[in-house]
Amino acid sequence: MLDLNRLRILRAVVASGSVTDTARQLGYTPSTISQHVHTLEREVGFSVVERSGRGIVPTAAGIALAEASGEVLVALSHLDATARDLRGQTSGRLSIRTFASAAYTWMPGIARALRREFPGLTLELSLDMDAPDDFVGDIEVLSEVPFDAPTVVPGYTRRELGSDDFLLAVPPEHPAAARGTAPLADFAGEDWVQYDFRDKLSARIVGQACAAAGFTPRYVARSQDHVTGLALVAAGVGVAIVPRLALDWSHFEVASVRVTNPVPQRRIVVLWRTGVRANPAAQRTLALLAGLAATLDAPGSGAARSR
């Protein structure tokens, strides 16, 4: 029988294309990752990676094996979660996977409330882009493109929390900083910053909105995280369309303007495993999330401000 941990490592190597990056992500040394890969090759009887210059690339067989192992690893994670439920251990542990801006803005307050109300609880938080493919969270907070079909996951119950508007972040000295709202087309000639090029969902939403306004943004800088992207806006490099939640936790000196025609938005939803529906900590978390999400639609939210 194939070693499941080695299959997880293979999937991480295929996804990153780098032994060093995989080692950093999983907390191993590069030599340990290489040893696991070589051992897996002996087990399966074929090469899963090959040398390419100073690095490695997965073979076609390695890619196929990594893809085929995905369903097995997810099923095993579901089985492990079910076993925990049957042992009655869910009240002592709660795992939540979420996207970055919700993690930074919402999760500290939720963690504080849960720690106060459930002293024996261990809360496990992960970001959706960093969690392994076979991660099975008790609660999953997701963002969706509004014009896409709703996310439906077997074994999970779904609830829509609300919509998060995207605002235009501009330097404090920008002429539009004092405007509460402005048509998106007014910024067609600006230099633009892509605040997080890894966030493909947000990139789609921004791209669709700008196309509807009749232009394609002229990006002069692209960042792979919220913090650097907003720092570039604060430095006057350009403007950026950013989810309101991402601005809520930012302390950079930027102003925000609500853009119209159209108003870019993302849909925020929560999914929870059927096995945790009787878990008091899980139910309290869902109630806290609903309360926090309600503020997204509060009157006057997203008005222009300097920070």
Side-chain angles (χ1 to χ4, degrees), residues 27-190:
Y28 292 115
T29 64
S31 61
T32 299
I33 295 295
S34 296
Q35 289 172 7
H36 279 295
V37 170
H38 292 154
T39 300
L40 178 62
E41 288 179 326
R42 290 197 298 271
E43 290 177 345
V44 298
F46 54 81
S47 297
V48 297
V49 297
E50 58 187 10
R51 289 283 178 186
S52 177
R54 300 179 65 179
I56 57 98
V57 295
T59 63
I63 294 172
L65 180 62
E67 292 176 348
S69 65
E71 291 185 8
V72 174
L73 294 172
V74 169
L76 182 64
S77 293
H78 278 288
L79 182 62
D80 181 64
T82 299
R84 292 199 309 270
D85 294 341
L86 294 173
R87 287 197 302 267
Q89 293 183 357
T90 54
S91 60
R93 172 184 174 275
L94 186 67
S95 59
I96 303 175
R97 177 164 63 172
T98 183
F99 53 93
S101 52
Y104 304 147
T105 307
W106 288 349
M107 290 304 149
I110 289 175
R112 182 175 59 246
L114 293 178
R115 182 174 179 272
R116 181 174 61 248
E117 299 174 29
F118 303 92
L121 180 71
T122 298
L123 187 63
E124 298 180 358
L125 298 173
S126 65
L127 297 181
D128 53 4
M129 68 180 64
D130 296 327
D133 292 340
D134 58 316
F135 175 88
V136 179
D138 296 321
I139 295 175
E140 305 248 358
V141 184
L142 309 174
S143 57
E144 299 176 336
V145 178
F147 40 83
D148 281 355
T151 301
V152 177
V153 180
Y156 282 78
T157 301
R158 168 192 168 90
R159 178 189 299 164
E160 187 170 329
L161 293 175
S163 296
D164 185 23
D165 287 351
F166 282 59
L167 307 177
L168 187 75
V170 300
E173 67 278 5
H174 193 284
R179 299 170 66 180
T181 62
L184 180 56
D186 285 1
F187 303 94
E190 297 278 349

Side-chain angles (χ1 to χ4, degrees), residues 182-186 209-215 258-264:
L184 180 56
D186 285 1
C210 291
F215 71 96
R258 180 182 289 278
V259 292
T260 59
N261 301 324
V263 177

Side-chain angles (χ1 to χ4, degrees), residues 151-265:
T151 301
V152 177
V153 180
Y156 282 78
T157 301
R158 168 192 168 90
R159 178 189 299 164
E160 187 170 329
L161 293 175
S163 296
D164 185 23
D165 287 351
F166 282 59
L167 307 177
L168 187 75
V170 300
E173 67 278 5
H174 193 284
R179 299 170 66 180
T181 62
L184 180 56
D186 285 1
F187 303 94
E190 297 278 349
D191 291 336
W192 284 71
V193 171
Q194 189 172 23
Y195 81 98
D196 187 349
F197 63 74
R198 298 178 304 171
D199 187 348
K200 296 180 180 179
L201 181 145
S202 291
R204 285 184 59 204
I205 293 173
V206 172
Q208 290 268 358
C210 291
F215 71 96
T216 299
R218 183 180 68 249
Y219 287 114
V220 298
R222 288 185 168 92
S223 167
Q224 70 170 8
D225 66 273
H226 297 65
V227 176
T228 305
L230 288 172
L232 291 172
V233 173
V237 174
V239 303
I241 292 183
V242 182
R244 180 189 162 197
L245 273 179
L247 284 171
D248 281 348
W249 61 264
S250 166
H251 295 287
F252 288 103
E253 290 295 324
V254 301
S256 60
V257 180
R258 180 182 289 278
V259 292
T260 59
N261 301 324
V263 177
Q265 291 181 325

Side-chain angles (χ1 to χ4, degrees), residues 262-287:
V263 177
Q265 291 181 325
R266 62 180 175 180
R267 186 170 56 220
I268 299 180
V269 302
V270 61
L271 309 176
W272 64 93
R273 282 196 310 106
T274 304
V276 299
R277 60 188 171 191
N279 181 344
Q283 292 304 310
R284 178 60 172 146
T285 300
L286 295 174

